[in-house]
Amino acid sequence: MISLSVTWDDIGGLVDAHERFLTGAQVDADVRGAVLDSWKRCRSVGLEPDRLLVPYAPGLALDDTLLRAAEPVLQRLTGSLSDVGMTVALCDGHGRMVQRLGGDRLLRERLDEVRFAPGFDASEQVVGTNGVGTALAERGPVHVVGREHFADCLQPFACAGTPVRNPLSGHIEAVLDLTCLRDDSDPLMLRLVREAARDIEARLLEQATQRERALLAAYRRAGRDADGWPPQPAGTGAGRYGEGAGARLGRIDLAVLREKAEELIAAPHRTLDEVMLSGGRSALLLRRQVRGAAGETGAVVEARILGGAGVGPVGLAGPGTVDGPATVAGVVPVPQFATEAAVAVPISKIATPKKRATATGLPGSPTSPPPLPTPFLPSPQPSAPEPVTDDRLLLLGDPGVGRLAVLARRRLELLHEAGIRVGTTLDVARTAEELAEVAVPRFADFASVDLPDPVLHGEEPGPLGAATRLRRVAVGSVREEPDLYGVGDQVGYVPSTPQSRSLETGQAVLEPVLAEAGGWLAQDPARLARVLTAGIHSLITVPLRARGTTLGVVSFYRSEHPAPFEEDDLSLAQELAGRAAICIDNARRYTREHNTALALQRSLLPKGRPEQSAVEVAYRYLPAQAGVGGDWFDVIPLSGARVALVVGDVVGHGLHAAATMGRLRTAVHNFCSLDLPPDELLTHLDDLVGRLDRGEGWAVDSSQADSGIVGATCLYAVYDPVSRRCALTRAGHPLPAVVGPDGTVEFVDLPSGQPLGLGGMPFETVELELAEGSQLVLYTDGLIEDRHQDIDAGLERLRTVLARADRSPEETCEAVLDALLPARPSDDVALLVARTRALGPERVAQWELPSDPAVVSRSRAAVTEQLAAWGLDELSFTVELVASELVTNAIRHATGPVRLRLLRDRALICEVSDGSGTSPRLRRARTEDEGGRGLFLVAQLTERWGTRYTPDGKVIWTELPLP
């Protein structure tokens, strides 16, 4: 006897939580997860806690096998609770009560008032949260007390329920429940009901084992009735073969025979199969029916092992032909808890050829199979040697259990295939497509994957519920189904649908009969009625959950499969969805990081084209398929109407490469502001990369030290539109191409130089004169080289594409990418095309001045005259003052010839050059100083000014905006 007595209070404010839930408020912290999920399911089907309509079905009954297994367990459980106010209820697999045992009169009367009695429906969708219906919905044990019940009328009670499963098929055959008044509740109820359910399942398994033994005994009796059962030799056992061909069967052969025998047992319309074995042997498998003394029916599979080394084909006249004697190995009883009896029994002595036709059941049984059909038999070859044969009973079992064994193997194969085929890429949409491809047609006839748009973009999806609109990302189907949503459609599921319930509760939902699923039909009654007419009959929806986040929902439908989805299919669907969800989440996270790196890289690349007149430019940047890299390009205006063209490549991909590219690009801009020659600029950049590669950057802590760049290349060119000369230098970068105005293509013979960061070797500069209208083509190695072609082949293809004189830079970019690149390149590609322009003599004025202070006045007059010729008289005063100050400083402080030059470009440029290598500096003059104010005045009157060095000296330049 067990005494249960405890007072259960509403800890955590269940009364308030229930009221808040009904009003739509958040109550997650106040209610247990399983109870809250049940409340959500009750709300989704439209239950009202104060109004229940409980149907009644008289004459409900359970399977006799289940009743025989449950009866002693229920009697024992009821007896142990005789002094406790508690009832034991046994319900069927739909939640309808069949039996109610025990309990005092008061408890029974109160349960009758709430229709918790035999014949009434206790499923969750009818009466709300309770021990029977919620255990079915959760497919596991539950304990519900007081205010945790959704319905008001059930809140005075406490209950604990658990499913009872068929141990062979896994189907829920019944639900066992203990119910008492709320004040008599005890957590021990859950343990009691679980132990009782396990006892019932154990008895079901024992009955199955006894049935297999009875079938095996029937098979033995058939042989004894024919010739008498021979004694079993000592030392034989299950799976032991006698002398002959069978004794030489290896593990692989045995596994193949076992698998084919299971399939044959599971196929009621097949009687024969032929299996090829190793060593040139084969086996004929024959399926026979067998009936036990108590009416048990089953099937046996007999195997005849044929052939061997040097043995030819065998001619057979029928199933009763046995050539030569056979050794008897005996029969071993079926092992405990086995679903089929796998035994090795020679059959040549079980029944003689004369009696073999009746050896499949009791003598004279009408279930004897017909003779073997001759099309399945080898052609006779009398000249062949006499074969070695070994006839055995291979497998005995229930066809239903054989079917389950075959299904289990196919499910394992499907899971194995899903592990291989799902998640082969880090693309969210493709991963969803792979899930649909794996599921159809082996598991479902139609599969769809719906994801919210944020997941497709790599973002966190946020809470998903009935109000969330999803995007249909993938569809798999054995045939076109026009009435279901297609790829790309937005889907908003109503709260009653299985998909919406899956998203809200995070649990899979099984609808074995869609025609009875009102919540599913409510989505679109007219459309889904046509779906039912087309043959779709059952559905499983599973939320795609990974790392605690719901990413979407997958729906599996069946139409061509005659059998609807079952309980075991639900677990398989969950496993498939779980594996796919991890892959989708990995792809989502990769997409987010890829987009982050891409956004960083694009933020570091040029924004549009800078204002300059030296060249007409067009550019393209294509990120790699594997991720963003460190390719970059730049067009940087320089003093004197010149322009710098830069293309570089940091080895590697990802955030580190993109960040390093940004640092190098910034460094190039800074060095350009100093107007350094190309070789000196790369020398400074090489020194910077070397220091970064050695990890000499600052870090918050030692664990964040710079990880190194690994390598970088760069090509730097400066073009002067006045002289039409271009100076180029490179550090390990591919050769630039020059396309002449006539369409001729030449790759500049430019010394390679070492990649940046190696140091120790100077860089060489090459100067060439470019005709106006020439195109200078700079690019990174991803354009001309990949794993499918070497660099020489890529250069030749590039030469062929560039050999056109009538293209603009934009057209050249398009032609090059179309001809040389696949849709998704394996490496980053940066392409820069610049068509040269010339600043003609009409826009340039230049004077050579001697080092004489008297020439200052003449220079002012010359400037004034030139500005008048250009129509820029309003700039005369300012330019006179600037030119006068710069020429005076050059004569006073410098050496060598002095040159004054005016350029009319986008701005008016005034330059004064001399032979000195010293540069003036801007300073603030004190009150008593006699000098130091001229350069300050120049800086105030001009928009920009600076100094650049030449091989013969320096140039002081200024820019003034044009009116």
Side-chain angles (χ1 to χ4, degrees):
M1 181 185 302
I2 300 176
S3 175
L4 302 177
S5 179
V6 67
T7 299
W8 189 284
D9 295 325
D10 284 323
I11 301 174
L14 277 173
V15 178
D16 294 338
H18 192 262
E19 294 298 327
R20 294 201 310 274
F21 176 81
L22 294 177
T23 61
Q26 191 80 5
V27 296
D28 292 15
D30 303 319
V31 185
R32 289 189 293 131
V35 173
L36 182 59
D37 291 342
S38 176
W39 287 3
K40 292 177 179 179
R41 290 193 295 266
C42 295
R43 181 174 59 185
S44 69
V45 297
L47 278 184
E48 299 180 22
D50 57 346
R51 188 181 308 158
L52 298 180
L53 181 62
V54 185
Y56 175 76
L60 294 176
L62 292 173
D63 182 73
D64 290 341
T65 303
L66 178 61
L67 288 177
R68 286 196 303 270
E71 183 177 0
V73 177
L74 297 181
Q75 289 178 354
R76 184 171 64 251
L77 180 61
T78 304
S80 66
L81 301 174
S82 59
D83 295 337
V84 181
M86 189 173 297
T87 63
V88 180
L90 185 64
C91 304
D92 64 14
H94 299 285
R96 300 171 300 185
M97 189 180 298
V98 178
Q99 292 182 7
R100 190 182 69 187
L101 308 173
D104 55 28
R105 182 178 58 83
L106 176 61
L107 177 60
R108 292 196 300 270
E109 290 177 353
R110 297 196 62 176
L111 291 176
D112 289 342
E113 293 175 1
V114 298
R115 303 294 190 267
F116 193 73
F120 287 98
D121 195 335
S123 60
E124 189 180 73
Q125 62 267 29
V126 173
V127 299
T129 309
N130 71 93
V132 176
T134 305
L136 270 178
E138 293 285 334
R139 297 180 297 281
V142 296
H143 190 200
V144 183
V145 183
R147 295 287 181 176
E148 291 182 331
H149 288 88
F150 185 79
D152 296 340
C153 63
L154 297 182
Q155 292 178 0
F157 302 97
C159 53
T162 189
V164 178
R165 298 177 182 270
N166 185 314
L168 298 182
S169 67
H171 297 168
I172 295 177
E173 303 287 351
V175 181
L176 188 61
D177 173 88
L178 298 181
T179 299
C180 64
L181 293 175
R182 169 184 160 183
D183 293 339
D184 296 330
S185 176
D186 192 301
L188 187 59
M189 295 169 59
L190 190 60
R191 176 182 171 185
L192 289 176
V193 76
R194 291 174 65 180
E195 290 179 350
R198 282 198 293 266
D199 290 343
I200 295 174
E201 291 170 354
R203 288 181 58 82
L204 284 171
L205 188 59
E206 183 179 354
Q207 289 183 20
T209 304
Q210 292 173 350
R211 181 177 182 279
E212 298 292 343
R213 289 174 177 162
L215 293 176
L216 184 58
Y219 186 84
R220 295 177 59 180
R221 280 197 302 272
R224 184 166 58 247
D225 291 339
D227 284 333
W229 185 254
Q232 177 178 338
T236 59
R240 178 180 174 87
Y241 286 85
E243 299 299 328
R248 297 191 298 272
L249 289 178
R251 287 184 182 177
I252 296 179
D253 287 340
L254 293 175
V256 170
L257 287 176
R258 170 79 180 215
E259 179 179 351
K260 295 298 183 181
E262 288 176 353
E263 293 179 358
L264 201 56
I265 282 186
H269 303 296
R270 293 175 56 198
T271 59
L272 183 71
D273 198 359
E274 183 174 6
V275 183
M276 300 306 298
L277 304 176
S278 61
R281 294 169 296 180
S282 64
L284 287 177
L285 303 184
L286 176 65
R287 180 185 190 274
R288 302 177 182 274
Q289 290 182 317
V290 63
R291 185 185 303 276
E296 305 93 345
T297 58
V300 296
V301 174
E302 297 171 342
R304 164 171 284 195
I305 312 299
L306 304 174
V311 178
V314 182
L316 298 178
T321 302
V322 178
D323 297 320
T327 303
V328 177
V331 174
V332 177
V334 182
Q336 189 177 7
F337 305 135
T339 58
E340 294 102 1
V343 292
V345 183
I347 62 174
S348 57
K349 291 297 184 179
I350 292 179
T352 62
K354 182 178 180 181
K355 298 285 184 139
R356 182 64 59 85
T358 62
T360 59
L362 297 177
S365 170
T367 61
S368 302
L372 294 179
T374 53
F376 289 95
L377 302 178
S379 301
Q381 301 224 358
S383 60
E386 183 178 356
V388 179
T389 65
D390 196 11
D391 299 349
R392 307 194 172 269
L393 168 63
L394 183 63
L395 201 68
L396 181 147
D398 185 344
V401 178
R403 169 182 166 271
L404 294 176
V406 173
L407 288 178
R409 181 178 295 108
R410 290 174 180 171
R411 286 166 178 160
L412 288 175
E413 292 172 353
L414 181 60
L415 289 177
H416 173 71
E417 184 177 353
I420 296 175
R421 293 179 54 188
V422 178
T424 59
T425 68
L426 287 172
D427 181 87
V428 174
R430 179 57 192 150
T431 304
E433 291 171 359
E434 290 170 342
L435 171 59
E437 291 170 359
V438 166
V440 177
R442 295 176 60 179
F443 177 66
D445 300 308
F446 185 93
S448 63
V449 182
D450 303 324
L451 304 175
D453 286 337
V455 171
L456 296 173
H457 302 148
E459 304 168 6
E460 292 286 346
L464 300 184
T468 307
R469 295 192 66 82
L470 305 178
R471 179 82 56 188
R472 180 139 297 177
V473 179
V475 169
S477 179
V478 295
R479 56 182 170 82
E480 185 177 359
E481 183 50 70
D483 291 316
L484 290 172
Y485 298 103
V487 174
D489 292 347
Q490 272 204 331
V491 186
Y493 290 108
V494 301
S496 63
T497 57
Q499 289 86 352
S500 183
R501 286 154 53 195
S502 292
L503 291 173
E504 189 170 7
T505 64
Q507 302 293 325
V509 175
L510 168 64
E511 293 288 357
V513 183
L514 274 181
E516 300 175 2
W520 176 75
L521 288 168
Q523 174 73 20
D524 189 341
R527 175 200 291 253
L528 297 184
R530 294 193 297 271
V531 171
L532 292 176
T533 304
I536 290 182
H537 53 73
S538 60
L539 162 70
I540 290 179
T541 65
V542 189
L544 293 167
R545 289 183 56 81
R547 302 178 178 95
T549 301
T550 302
L551 304 172
V553 65
V554 56
S555 302
F556 302 105
Y557 295 86
R558 275 189 179 173
S559 58
E560 306 295 332
H561 284 69
F565 284 118
E566 301 172 343
E567 196 73 22
D568 283 356
D569 296 317
L570 191 61
S571 60
L572 177 59
Q574 290 172 316
E575 181 68 21
L576 283 175
R579 296 187 181 197
I582 293 294
C583 296
I584 289 175
D585 192 49
N586 290 340
R588 179 191 66 82
R589 290 167 180 259
Y590 170 79
T591 301
R592 180 185 60 192
E593 301 225 352
H594 177 77
N595 290 343
T596 301
L598 189 59
L600 171 63
Q601 186 180 43
R602 292 197 181 279
S603 70
L604 298 173
L605 289 173
K607 305 292 189 301
R609 299 174 176 84
E611 292 185 358
Q612 50 82 34
S613 302
V615 291
E616 177 190 355
V617 297
Y619 54 82
R620 295 291 187 274
Y621 170 74
L622 276 74
Q625 178 180 359
V628 297
D631 291 16
W632 90 92
F633 60 91
D634 248 319
V635 179
I636 307 172
L638 300 177
S639 63
R642 298 170 306 138
V643 66
L645 306 173
V646 191
V647 172
D649 183 3
V650 176
V651 175
H653 296 91
L655 285 173
H656 179 70
T660 301
M661 176 270 290
R663 297 162 83 174
L664 297 186
R665 179 171 178 256
T666 301
V668 171
H669 273 264
N670 292 333
F671 294 145
C672 283
S673 67
L674 300 176
D675 260 323
L676 297 176
D679 55 342
E680 289 187 28
L681 185 143
L682 284 192
T683 300
H684 284 286
L685 196 62
D686 176 63
D687 180 64
L688 172 64
V689 172
R691 286 186 285 111
L692 293 177
D693 223 8
R694 292 190 297 271
E696 296 180 9
W698 290 93
V700 177
D701 56 56
S702 59
S703 64
Q704 297 177 348
D706 199 311
S707 60
I709 295 175
V710 178
T713 66
C714 185
L715 173 62
Y716 184 79
V718 175
Y719 174 69
D720 186 347
V722 178
S723 64
R724 293 186 289 105
R725 297 195 65 79
C726 183
L728 305 98
T729 187
R730 64 174 177 146
H733 205 80
L735 289 171
V738 175
V739 184
D742 58 353
T744 58
V745 180
E746 295 292 338
F747 289 101
V748 181
D749 186 11
L750 184 63
S752 172
Q754 298 185 98
L756 298 175
L758 298 181
M761 296 295 292
F763 297 98
E764 299 183 47
T765 299
V766 170
E767 284 198 17
L768 61 154
E769 184 173 333
L770 299 178
E772 185 176 4
S774 300
Q775 289 191 4
L776 186 61
V777 181
L778 313 180
Y779 50 88
T780 55
D781 60 355
L783 180 69
I784 59 172
E785 183 181 21
D786 60 24
R787 59 187 177 186
H788 302 297
Q789 70 172 0
D790 60 24
I791 190 169
D792 293 333
L795 288 174
E796 284 305 314
R797 292 178 62 192
L798 179 61
R799 182 194 299 273
T800 302
V801 176
L802 292 177
R804 285 277 298 275
D806 55 347
R807 288 198 189 109
S808 67
E810 284 288 342
E811 293 170 339
T812 300
C813 285
E814 289 297 325
V816 168
L817 295 185
D818 290 344
L820 271 70
L821 282 188
R824 303 186 69 181
S826 58
D827 192 10
D828 282 25
V829 173
L831 173 64
L832 179 63
V833 179
R835 182 160 62 185
T836 61
R837 295 167 177 161
L839 204 61
E842 71 281 1
R843 300 171 66 183
V844 180
Q846 181 174 301
W847 300 273
E848 299 286 342
L849 305 175
S851 296
D852 183 356
V855 301
V856 175
S857 60
R858 293 202 301 271
S859 66
R860 288 198 296 266
V863 167
T864 302
E865 182 181 353
Q866 184 62 51
L867 291 178
W870 286 342
L872 300 175
D873 299 271
E874 56 189 282
L875 295 179
S876 295
F877 175 77
T878 302
V879 178
E880 273 187 54
L881 185 58
V882 170
S884 175
E885 188 63 37
L886 294 181
V887 170
T888 300
N889 283 343
I891 293 174
R892 181 180 297 178
H893 301 292
T895 60
V898 177
R899 182 182 299 110
L900 172 64
R901 187 169 74 164
L902 294 181
L903 304 175
R904 184 185 177 187
D905 192 34
R906 292 178 179 271
L908 182 64
I909 302 171
C910 178
E911 297 180 343
V912 174
S913 59
D914 58 55
S916 172
T918 60
S919 174
R921 59 187 181 90
L922 184 65
R923 62 186 179 89
R924 185 178 294 275
R926 291 173 295 185
T927 307
E928 62 272 14
D929 289 345
E930 295 184 1
R933 295 177 179 83
L935 200 56
F936 177 77
L937 185 62
V938 168
Q940 296 301 311
L941 294 176
T942 60
E943 186 175 52
R944 297 172 60 219
W945 75 279
T947 304
R948 72 172 179 271
Y949 294 93
T950 65
D952 301 324
K954 67 177 182 296
V955 176
I956 309 296
W957 57 268
T958 64
E959 289 185 4
L960 291 85
L962 296 176

